[in-house]
Amino acid sequence: MTVHPPAVGHCDELQDALDAFRASAPLTQRWGERLATVLGSGGRLLAAGNGGSAAQAQHLTAELVGRYRDDRPPFSAIALHADTSSTTAIANDYGVDEVFARQVRAHGRDGDVLMLLSTSGASANLLSAADAARTAGVRVWALTGCAPNPLMAGSDESLCVDAPSTATVQELHLVAVHMICAAFDAALDHGARGGVRGAGSTGRARRTTQRKRR
């Protein structure tokens, strides 16, 4: 039996997990298409996670507010953990479990989407956020580690990564983020070719017209 160095072993672990993860492609495709409908109609994506998962959640919102590959209008997406003043104030006044839930109550509207990322699927502050979202009519999607887990049970839909280490779960969450963004952009492009404009493109066209009138 050949014993590989840790770095090579990590690549082998990731490759094995990625092979199984390919079966998740239809779900990420559906999520991306649904986001195009929600955000293109003026809705919003809220996202949150802890630690490395916070970075992954913020990566997703950055791709939507900025761009993934090709230039396109910006769309409303907020990484809840990125507002340090709000999160620290809420943690101080209401407890750590409320840091995301209270923001969901503030920003979430009926029909919006909340994306929660957790390698364990058991973070109390994310479970509280999921509860708050469902009460507000916000759809909850979860990216987690191995199933079953509490966050999977508390979400409308979940994508659970079957991998032996936290690092590999996080790496596949990033793959999922990019798959969602690719599907999102493709859905927008299809809608544009069909004569359907998203909220962002409509707003940009309106501003351009106003500038010409001046």
Side-chain angles (χ1 to χ4, degrees), residues 34 40 172 198 201 204 211:
R34 179 59 185 165
L172 289 180
S201 59
R204 187 168 64 176
R211 283 197 295 270

mmCIF file of all heavy atoms in Angstrom, residues 34 40 172 198 201 204 211:
data_model
loop_
_atom_site.group_PDB
_atom_site.id
_atom_site.type_symbol
_atom_site.label_atom_id
_atom_site.label_comp_id
_atom_site.label_asym_id
_atom_site.label_seq_id
_atom_site.Cartn_x
_atom_site.Cartn_y
_atom_site.Cartn_z
ATOM 1 N N ARG A 34 -33.633 29.641 -9.760
ATOM 2 C CA ARG A 34 -34.605 30.259 -8.853
ATOM 3 C C ARG A 34 -34.107 31.621 -8.368
ATOM 4 O O ARG A 34 -34.882 32.581 -8.274
ATOM 5 C CB ARG A 34 -34.866 29.327 -7.662
ATOM 6 C CG ARG A 34 -35.844 29.881 -6.632
ATOM 7 C CD ARG A 34 -37.192 30.178 -7.259
ATOM 8 N NE ARG A 34 -38.112 30.818 -6.319
ATOM 9 C CZ ARG A 34 -39.221 31.424 -6.667
ATOM 10 N NH1 ARG A 34 -39.591 31.464 -7.943
ATOM 11 N NH2 ARG A 34 -39.993 31.993 -5.766
ATOM 12 N N GLY A 40 -34.106 38.850 -9.970
ATOM 13 C CA GLY A 40 -34.503 39.586 -11.149
ATOM 14 C C GLY A 40 -35.839 40.287 -10.991
ATOM 15 O O GLY A 40 -36.150 41.217 -11.724
ATOM 16 N N LEU A 172 -15.896 21.958 -1.297
ATOM 17 C CA LEU A 172 -17.019 21.605 -2.151
ATOM 18 C C LEU A 172 -18.158 22.605 -2.020
ATOM 19 O O LEU A 172 -18.935 22.790 -2.967
ATOM 20 C CB LEU A 172 -17.488 20.190 -1.849
ATOM 21 C CG LEU A 172 -16.509 19.114 -2.324
ATOM 22 C CD1 LEU A 172 -17.025 17.726 -1.989
ATOM 23 C CD2 LEU A 172 -16.238 19.218 -3.825
ATOM 24 N N GLY A 198 -34.173 41.725 -15.797
ATOM 25 C CA GLY A 198 -34.180 41.685 -14.347
ATOM 26 C C GLY A 198 -34.301 43.076 -13.779
ATOM 27 O O GLY A 198 -34.209 44.076 -14.497
ATOM 28 N N SER A 201 -31.167 45.290 -14.526
ATOM 29 C CA SER A 201 -31.022 45.825 -15.878
ATOM 30 C C SER A 201 -32.072 46.875 -16.170
ATOM 31 O O SER A 201 -31.816 47.851 -16.856
ATOM 32 C CB SER A 201 -31.115 44.680 -16.898
ATOM 33 O OG SER A 201 -32.342 44.004 -16.781
ATOM 34 N N ARG A 204 -30.925 50.085 -14.613
ATOM 35 C CA ARG A 204 -29.827 50.702 -15.339
ATOM 36 C C ARG A 204 -30.335 51.382 -16.604
ATOM 37 O O ARG A 204 -29.902 52.479 -16.949
ATOM 38 C CB ARG A 204 -28.762 49.647 -15.695
ATOM 39 C CG ARG A 204 -27.520 50.266 -16.290
ATOM 40 C CD ARG A 204 -26.374 49.296 -16.374
ATOM 41 N NE ARG A 204 -26.681 48.202 -17.273
ATOM 42 C CZ ARG A 204 -25.800 47.253 -17.588
ATOM 43 N NH1 ARG A 204 -24.611 47.257 -17.018
ATOM 44 N NH2 ARG A 204 -26.125 46.287 -18.421
ATOM 45 N N ARG A 211 -30.396 60.188 -17.914
ATOM 46 C CA ARG A 211 -29.207 60.969 -18.235
ATOM 47 C C ARG A 211 -29.332 61.600 -19.619
ATOM 48 O O ARG A 211 -28.956 62.740 -19.844
ATOM 49 C CB ARG A 211 -27.954 60.071 -18.162
ATOM 50 C CG ARG A 211 -27.504 59.782 -16.731
ATOM 51 C CD ARG A 211 -26.066 59.277 -16.749
ATOM 52 N NE ARG A 211 -25.975 57.998 -17.442
ATOM 53 C CZ ARG A 211 -26.096 56.825 -16.865
ATOM 54 N NH1 ARG A 211 -26.357 56.753 -15.567
ATOM 55 N NH2 ARG A 211 -25.956 55.700 -17.552
#
